[in-house]
């Protein structure tokens, strides 16, 4: 029972924000689906583990909701495709490189306003916007800065 969905930048796959009310995909994270409904990838709790390691895991919600992924979007920045998943109870945005939808790579977690609900990628301006209902309706703007190649 996803709370939000988004297409990958090429429109070939669907991302679902799996809030945590269904354990079909591991719940509490996000999944990638083919357009015919086949599960391509599930984070299988990886986002929750990354949140715990970064100090964002909402312990008071562990039994009921966990990180509660509420919003999701995707965007192409440079030559890479990214997924941006919002945790309502953890108040963070998890970023994954989804250039290979069969093996997404965790990139980082960023703090958001309290209880983020919606996220919008704006690749033409190298921006990601996040709205949060628990911070008096704040909107946070993040700038994409490409990592230097080694």
């Amino acid at each position: 029972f996803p709370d939000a969905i988004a297409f990958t930048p090429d429109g070939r796959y669907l991302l679902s924000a799996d809030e945590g009310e269904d354990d079909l995909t591991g719940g509490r994270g996000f999944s990638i689906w083919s357009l015919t409904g086949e599960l391509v990838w599930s984070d299988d709790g990886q986002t929750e583990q990354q949140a715990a390691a970064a100090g964002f895991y909402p312990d008071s919600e562990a039994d009921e909701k966990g990180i509660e992924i509420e919003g999701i979007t995707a965007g192409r920045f440079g030559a890479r495709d990214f997924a941006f998943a919002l945790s309502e109870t953890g108040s963070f945005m998890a970023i994954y490189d989804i250039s290979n939808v069969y093996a997404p790579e965790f990139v980082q977690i960023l703090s958001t306003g309290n209880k983020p609900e919606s996220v919008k990628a704006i690749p033409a301006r190298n921006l990601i916007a996040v709205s949060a209902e628990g911070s008096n309706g704040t909107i946070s703007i993040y700038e994409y800065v490409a990592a230097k190649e080694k």
Side-chain angles (χ1 to χ4, degrees):
F1 303 116
D3 262 20
I5 59 171
F7 286 99
T8 56
D10 64 8
R12 296 178 55 206
Y13 298 92
L14 190 68
L15 307 174
S16 63
D18 307 327
E19 184 181 25
E21 297 166 354
D22 182 17
D23 60 7
L24 175 66
T25 63
R28 300 181 175 182
F30 78 99
S31 302
I32 301 175
W33 304 84
S34 74
L35 297 182
T36 59
E38 297 170 59
L39 180 63
V40 172
W41 180 85
S42 172
D43 80 351
D44 288 327
Q46 182 185 62
T47 305
E48 282 198 310
Q49 292 169 4
Q50 294 291 348
F56 284 100
Y57 192 84
D59 290 330
S60 63
E61 300 290 344
D63 291 337
E64 187 176 328
K65 297 180 182 179
I67 58 172
E68 195 173 1
I69 296 296
E70 183 81 13
I72 195 155
T73 197
R76 178 167 289 150
F77 291 84
R80 298 166 65 192
D81 291 345
F82 294 94
F84 304 92
L86 300 179
S87 167
E88 183 177 24
T89 54
S91 296
F92 66 81
M93 175 171 58
I95 304 169
Y96 283 79
D97 182 331
I98 58 167
S99 297
N100 177 354
V101 295
Y102 295 95
E105 296 178 26
F106 173 77
V107 175
Q108 72 182 117
I109 286 182
L110 297 173
S111 181
T112 64
N114 189 28
K115 296 185 178 182
E117 290 279 328
S118 182
V119 57
K120 176 73 175 163
I122 312 164
R125 303 212 34 211
N126 283 333
L127 300 175
I128 301 96
V130 174
S131 66
E133 69 179 355
S135 301
N136 296 319
T138 60
I139 296 175
S140 300
I141 307 291
Y142 302 85
E143 181 180 16
Y144 169 76
V145 178
K148 292 185 180 182
E149 297 294 324
K150 294 180 180 180

